[in-house]
Each structure stands twice: as structure tokens, then as C-alpha cells.
Amino acid sequence: MAQEEKLQDLKIRLAAFMSRLDEMEPEETSVQDIDQLIQMLEELEKKM
């Protein structure tokens, strides 16, 4: 994967993460939701 493609992929994934985070309601957030967010961050980390 070319550097530009990799960067674009990371931007898309980060935008999806931020969107997901913005949509969450603190009172309704479960441990499973937090686990999914952590998994998303770990995937971003691997891509870097």
C-alpha cells in the first residue's frame, strides 16, 4: 500500500472512530461499547 493510500485509510478510520465517539451517550454506554472503541484504536495503531 502506497504511503498516500495508507494515510487516506488512517484518516477514514479515525473519522469513523470520532463519529462513533460523538454518537455515544455516556449514560447508555456499555463495557462492550468501550471495548469496541479500544479495538478500533488498536487497529489504527497497527496501521501506523
Side-chain angles (χ1 to χ4, degrees):
M1 184 179 285
Q3 187 70 14
E4 289 181 30
E5 291 173 346
K6 188 175 180 181
L7 184 58
Q8 187 64 26
D9 183 53
L10 287 173
K11 286 180 182 181
I12 291 168
R13 290 175 184 262
L14 184 57
F17 175 80
M18 295 302 296
S19 175
R20 177 84 186 265
L21 192 59
D22 284 341
E23 292 171 359
M24 296 177 94
E25 293 294 330
E27 304 85 33
E28 299 172 9
T29 302
S30 68
V31 172
Q32 183 180 8
D33 293 330
I34 301 300
D35 284 343
Q36 288 175 347
L37 288 174
I38 291 170
Q39 184 178 16
M40 289 175 80
L41 284 174
E42 288 173 346
E43 288 175 14
L44 281 172
E45 222 175 13
K46 287 178 187 177
K47 295 286 183 176
M48 295 177 102

